[in-house]
């Protein structure tokens, strides 16, 4: 029996996460990645510096977890925290 392997008509580009170096392609779907970026302007300590870091889903949520923890420490003595911990950074759900 002959096995037929179909080749994609175009070479798929696979973008690796800048933190863990793993592929950001999800099997059967497209790339799933986010970009953390900053372009510091006049008056900032890093004027003229431009940063861009590609993150996979796992590394994004690890980063968000660190930020969430910092936020919790910074607001732990507030009488009325303005957001719940689980919603930090969440804009919307489908
Ligand atoms: Zn990663």
């Amino acid at each position: 029996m002959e096995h037929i392997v179909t080749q994609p008509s175009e070479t798929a580009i696979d973008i690796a996460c800048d933190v863990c170096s793993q592929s950001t392609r999800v099997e059967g779907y497209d790339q799933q990645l986010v970009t953390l970026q900053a372009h510091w302007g006049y008056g900032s300590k890093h004027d003229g510096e431009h940063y861009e870091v590609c993150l996979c889903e796992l590394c994004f949520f690890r980063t968000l977890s660190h930020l969430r923890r910092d936020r919790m420490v910074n607001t732990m003595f507030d009488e009325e925290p303005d957001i719940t911990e689980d919603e930090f950074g969440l804009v919307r759900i489908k």
Side-chain angles (χ1 to χ4, degrees), residues 17 19-21 56 59:
C17 173
V19 176
C20 69
S21 300
C56 70
C59 289

Side-chain angles (χ1 to χ4, degrees), residues 31-92:
Q31 301 282 153
Q32 294 295 319
L33 61 100
V34 295
T35 304
L36 175 67
Q37 58 181 324
H39 195 163
W40 297 103
Y42 184 73
S44 69
K45 292 178 182 175
H46 296 272
D47 184 18
E49 295 178 12
H50 186 190
Y51 294 85
E52 189 171 296
V53 180
C54 174
L55 299 172
C56 70
E57 186 175 13
L58 179 62
C59 289
F60 169 79
F61 281 101
R62 283 181 178 160
T63 302
L64 189 63
S65 177
H66 289 291
L67 295 173
R68 186 180 294 138
R69 190 170 41 245
D70 286 351
R71 168 107 180 147
M72 186 181 72
V73 169
N74 289 332
T75 61
M76 67 191 307
F77 296 112
D78 289 356
E79 290 184 19
E80 292 183 36
D82 58 349
I83 58 172
T84 60
E85 188 176 319
D86 292 340
E87 295 175 346
F88 177 71
L90 179 63
V91 176
R92 75 174 189 168

Side-chain angles (χ1 to χ4, degrees), residues 12-15 22-32:
I13 296 171
D14 191 8
I15 301 170
Q22 296 298 307
S23 168
T24 58
R25 181 170 299 285
V26 175
E27 187 72 29
Y29 296 93
D30 207 353
Q31 301 282 153
Q32 294 295 319

